Amino acid sequence: MSEVNREGAVHGWTRVVTARPRLTLLLALLLTALAVAAGSGVADRLASGGWEAPESQSSYATDALAQHFPASQPNLVLLVDARGAGVDSPAVVAQAGELTRELAADRAVSGVTSYWSTHAPALRARDGGSALITARLRGDDDAVADEVKRIAPAYRGDHGPVKVTIGGSAAVRDELQTTIKDDLVRAEVIALPVTLLLLVMVFGSAVAALLPLVIGIMAILGTSAVLRAVTEFTDVSVFAENLTTALGLGLAIDYALFIVRRFREELAAGATPQSAAGRTLRTAGRTVLFSALTVAASLSAMLVFPQYFLRSFAYAGIAVVLLAAAAALIVLPASLVLLGNRVNALDLRKALRLKPSGDPGAGYARLARLVMRRAPLFAIGAVAGLLLLGLPFLQVRFGSADDRQLPAAAESHVVQQHIRQEFPGSPDGAITVLAEGADVGRLTDYDHRVAALPGVVRVDGPFTTTGSDTAYVTVLPRGEAVDTATQNLVKEIRAVPAGFHASVTGQAAILVDSKDAIAQKLPWAAGIIALVTLLLVFLLTGSVVIPLQAVLLNALSLTAMFGAVVWVFQDGHLSGLLDFTATGTIETTLPVLMFCVAFGLSMDYGVFLLSRIKEEYDRTGDHQASIVFGLKRTGGLITAAAVILAVVMVAIGTSRVANTKMLGLGIALAVLMDAMVVRTLLVPAVMRLTGRFSWWAPPPLRRFHNRFGIFEGGDPARDGAGAPRSEERRDPEPAHR
């Protein structure tokens, strides 16, 4: 693309947005209304699973068992408490038998197993005070959720001599969806007023403070419509709705802060509202567009993973990022043109008794000079501190999500916890082997070989159906359901020669397959993030050094988040204060999700800072002065944006669901560390150490950037080395060029 065409495209875009602001806002309002209608009911269509690898051996075996032996894969559990009479007393036996027959006759139930019909020891508590009735509900996640809502009230509570409580994976998922939906409303109630107060503190004007919130709400509503459409074609996780709210508010506020601040600067310099909006779009607007692309690229990396839990966050994240950017680049400039100088109206700082902060940029300029004077000290200290905070992650143990995500008082959590503590072995942790094309002799030999493995308590089965060559056996492990020993046992069972087609499933097998799927795809995801980030930052800066610095420093900024996740949520420190149940593991997909989201948000702030440094460097050619200028102009803005986004993420982190709490609080920490340590200390120190070499690129890439790169505020006349032709200025200090 030639520079004339590139500038013409930008001018054309600004003319479209600013020439007819009323029409632009009317169309935006219409589209928002359509999004509200299209996105209604999206929460009821979201699923609460998605951690499994769908093409894995365990997923195949689970589906096949559900089809051929539904009772072997129960998703509903009735915990029957005999109230001190004992589960074998005649009255309890009669009542439990009646409950079993009623449940088996229900239209949604495809298989029932009961202690009172099988006398299986695994279904009876050690003290004989309670026992289990398990069932398989037919259908997909949506159908099962509907049936749980219908069946559970009919069986929950007192039935003559017994009391029934409801558990099982279907009940856990139902409570998860309800809890997440309620928590999201509470998070919005917390985040919106606090965010508005912080925006008033930043802008002073109530009008300017409201604009970012409007942009954020439009992005959230638009993303709900997108997710509603996506659910027509694939499963979408209910957890993605939390990300929609957090990123919608957070990024829209980031983008709006940047644009409104630049617009007010242009107005203060004497520009008319229309020309100020045009200049803002040609400078801050292009930065916002690049920032949105880098965040979307980080989130898109999750599309390479097979688990729909991760893919859901890519769908939601990409949609909300692009919609937030579109609203900030179309709706916001149109609003600013109409408002003009009234964007500064309704100063609420006096009413709220808030003192104007003066010029925060002066403090950031002094900090930048201090850091550059002691660049080696600040660089080494910051890197060492971040690495130290990340050390706990070296002890991470991966596990699977279960009922312990829920509050301790949640019914399904109470039931599952009672089963873990009071029932023999690990009923939920049994390993199941599906045998296809097997005869009785080979099955018997296989059972003996599996039973001889050191980690096996016993092997039950084989269980078959008349006239079928498909059967299954259950293996009770010595360890916990998904501990390291049980995962190793899964691999040992898979290595046992069978003489028929054997497929292994169960909680531990699902976890092993999920970890393998993530490990296979992780290099691809990391490569996508790195390559796209390197390319976009190169197009912004024209340097091959700065993009490498950006990727490395961004990754470094996440160490504190990962260390805190393990120290708090795996090891259980602060579990009482934060009100969650520590399981001793971290759900396998969560670190991937948190990395992609936090890396993208870190690049968001990195692009804001680098764009202003580059703009000043293009104008003056003074490397160190450009760093001071960039931090002076964006330091306060980045800090304010990070604090506001952290407030939104902490509001999400007030969730009663442990994984959502981990996601919200972890990303809040990462955002604050990036803004307050990496952007204000590490970036200036590292750029000072690399000096003008920071802007180096080989001649072919310089020519490529001169033709296709992005330049803030219009392309300056440039020489072949990338410095302004009219200015051959040197750094004020000779060292570290």
Side-chain angles (χ1 to χ4, degrees):
M1 180 187 296
S2 70
E3 295 179 10
V4 173
N5 290 338
R6 185 167 64 229
E7 288 302 306
V10 173
H11 283 293
W13 166 36
T14 59
R15 281 197 301 271
V16 169
V17 172
T18 60
R20 297 196 172 189
R22 288 183 177 84
L23 178 61
T24 300
L25 293 180
L26 181 62
L27 290 174
L29 184 62
L30 178 61
L31 290 174
T32 302
L34 292 174
V36 171
S40 61
V42 65
D44 296 328
R45 297 182 61 85
L46 302 179
S48 57
W51 295 281
E52 307 88 356
E55 302 299 325
S56 64
Q57 181 184 131
S58 57
S59 291
Y60 168 79
T62 299
D63 293 341
L65 286 165
Q67 179 180 355
H68 296 291
F69 305 97
S72 71
Q73 298 291 297
N75 52 13
L76 183 69
V77 174
L78 273 59
L79 175 63
V80 181
D81 183 358
R83 292 177 166 177
V87 295
D88 295 314
S89 67
V92 171
V93 170
Q95 185 62 56
E98 182 179 345
L99 290 172
T100 302
R101 290 188 292 273
E102 289 178 3
L103 189 59
D106 192 283
R107 67 177 189 272
V109 175
S110 59
V112 173
T113 301
S114 166
Y115 164 73
W116 292 274
S117 59
T118 65
H119 296 287
L123 299 179
R124 181 182 185 274
R126 295 186 187 89
D127 63 1
S130 59
L132 303 178
I133 302 172
T134 66
R136 176 77 185 183
L137 300 181
R138 294 188 181 95
D140 58 17
D141 287 346
D142 291 337
V144 169
D146 292 339
E147 295 302 338
V148 168
K149 290 181 173 62
R150 180 182 63 84
I151 291 174
Y155 289 89
R156 179 184 293 117
D158 296 331
H159 294 267
V162 302
K163 180 180 180 180
V164 176
T165 47
I166 309 298
S169 61
V172 170
R173 291 186 178 190
D174 181 61
E175 287 201 80
L176 271 177
Q177 288 179 307
T178 302
T179 304
I180 288 172
K181 190 185 300 183
D182 294 342
D183 290 348
L184 186 58
V185 173
R186 186 177 69 249
E188 291 170 347
V189 170
I190 294 171
L192 287 173
V194 176
T195 298
L196 181 59
L197 177 61
L198 291 173
L199 288 170
V200 169
M201 294 173 65
V202 172
F203 286 125
S205 161
V207 174
L210 284 170
L211 289 174
L213 284 183
V214 172
I215 299 301
I217 291 170
M218 291 179 68
I220 293 170
L221 294 175
T223 304
S224 294
V226 171
L227 289 180
R228 177 63 178 81
V230 172
T231 60
E232 295 292 334
F233 306 99
T234 185
D235 291 320
V236 177
S237 172
V238 67
F239 289 94
E241 201 171 18
N242 292 283
L243 185 71
T244 297
T245 297
L247 287 186
L249 279 177
L251 289 176
I253 287 169
D254 284 359
Y255 299 155
L257 277 171
F258 205 59
I259 287 176
V260 172
R261 174 68 65 86
R262 188 61 179 252
F263 178 78
R264 296 172 84 183
E265 288 179 7
E266 298 296 335
L267 284 182
T272 64
Q274 191 164 359
S275 63
R279 171 69 179 173
T280 297
L281 285 177
R282 289 191 294 273
T283 53
R286 284 196 267 197
T287 300
V288 166
L289 179 60
F290 254 64
S291 172
L293 291 175
T294 56
V295 177
S298 294
L299 297 173
S300 69
M302 287 185 284
L303 291 173
V304 306
F305 296 100
Q307 293 93 336
Y308 80 74
F309 174 80
L310 289 174
R311 297 171 70 89
S312 298
F313 285 95
Y315 305 142
I318 293 171
V320 77
V321 168
L322 296 182
L323 287 171
L329 297 175
I330 297 172
V331 178
L332 184 57
S335 303
L336 293 173
V337 169
L338 291 178
L339 286 170
N341 287 303
R342 287 173 295 180
V343 73
N344 299 316
L346 299 179
D347 191 330
L348 297 180
R349 286 175 294 192
K350 292 182 180 179
L352 297 174
R353 297 182 180 180
L354 300 174
K355 294 182 179 180
S357 58
D359 180 17
Y364 284 98
R366 288 193 296 271
L367 177 61
R369 295 188 186 98
L370 172 64
V371 169
M372 288 193 291
R373 282 197 301 270
R374 300 287 186 269
L377 178 64
F378 278 98
I380 294 172
V383 170
L386 290 172
L387 291 176
L388 182 64
L389 291 174
L391 284 179
F393 192 71
L394 296 177
Q395 305 301 319
V396 65
R397 296 184 297 275
F398 293 110
S400 56
D402 59 23
D403 58 281
R404 286 171 288 185
Q405 292 184 79
L406 288 165
E411 181 184 28
S412 58
H413 183 178
V414 172
V415 170
Q416 300 302 122
Q417 189 69 12
H418 182 78
I419 293 172
R420 273 189 291 269
Q421 294 174 349
E422 303 298 332
F423 282 70
S426 179
D428 287 344
I431 300 169
T432 306
V433 182
L434 172 69
E436 296 174 295
D439 56 37
V440 175
R442 282 184 290 181
L443 267 175
T444 302
D445 291 342
Y446 180 78
D447 285 4
H448 291 158
R449 286 194 292 269
V450 171
L453 294 174
V456 174
V457 174
R458 70 171 187 270
V459 177
D460 295 328
F463 303 99
T464 62
T465 57
T466 304
S468 172
D469 64 351
T470 301
Y472 75 93
V473 298
T474 59
V475 181
L476 192 65
R478 295 187 186 278
E480 295 293 329
V482 292
D483 66 9
T484 302
T486 306
Q487 293 177 55
N488 290 335
L489 180 60
V490 167
K491 298 174 184 177
E492 293 171 4
I493 292 173
R494 286 175 171 172
V496 172
F500 51 84
H501 188 267
S503 304
V504 181
T505 188
Q507 286 191 46
I510 291 171
L511 175 59
V512 168
D513 290 342
S514 179
K515 288 165 64 175
D516 288 346
I518 289 175
Q520 290 173 10
K521 299 295 185 180
L522 192 59
W524 290 97
I528 290 171
I529 293 174
L531 288 175
V532 175
T533 301
L534 290 171
L535 175 61
L536 290 174
V537 178
F538 167 75
L539 290 175
L540 182 67
T541 64
S543 164
V544 296
V545 178
I546 290 177
L548 291 172
Q549 291 177 355
V551 170
L552 293 176
L553 295 184
N554 272 22
L556 188 62
S557 72
L558 308 184
T559 55
M561 174 185 73
F562 285 126
V565 160
V566 170
W567 191 77
V568 175
F569 290 94
Q570 174 182 290
D571 299 340
H573 298 99
L574 307 181
S575 59
L577 177 65
L578 297 177
D579 191 22
F580 68 91
T581 301
T583 63
T585 61
I586 299 296
E587 202 283 316
T588 312
T589 59
L590 273 178
V592 175
L593 168 63
M594 297 175 75
F595 176 85
C596 292
V597 174
F599 188 94
L601 294 175
S602 297
M603 277 308 307
D604 185 44
Y605 301 138
V607 168
F608 287 169
L609 176 59
L610 290 174
S611 67
R612 293 311 291 264
I613 294 175
K614 178 65 164 54
E615 181 181 355
E616 184 69 4
Y617 185 71
D618 284 342
R619 189 179 69 84
T620 67
D622 189 326
H623 176 66
Q624 293 189 41
S626 299
I627 297 172
V628 174
F629 175 85
L631 197 59
K632 177 180 180 180
R633 290 300 179 93
T634 64
L637 196 65
I638 289 173
T639 302
V643 170
I644 292 171
L645 180 56
V647 166
V648 176
M649 296 308 303
V650 168
I652 296 295
T654 62
S655 172
R656 292 165 292 169
V657 176
N659 281 355
T660 306
K661 191 187 297 289
M662 185 191 311
L663 178 68
L665 298 181
I667 293 179
L669 176 61
V671 165
L672 293 175
M673 293 299 292
D674 183 80
M676 297 180 180
V677 177
V678 174
R679 302 303 148 200
T680 58
L681 301 178
L682 260 181
V683 169
V686 171
M687 290 190 73
R688 175 67 180 88
L689 291 172
T690 54
R692 291 187 64 177
F693 180 71
S694 301
W695 305 101
W696 179 84
L701 289 181
R702 284 202 299 268
R703 289 191 293 271
F704 179 88
H705 180 261
N706 286 337
R707 184 173 182 184
F708 297 105
I710 297 298
F711 300 94
E712 292 288 339
D715 295 349
R718 303 180 64 82
D719 64 17
R725 186 177 294 145
S726 61
E727 302 243 14
E728 293 286 344
R729 300 179 61 175
R730 295 182 176 271
D731 293 334
E733 297 180 28
H736 306 300
R737 290 187 181 172

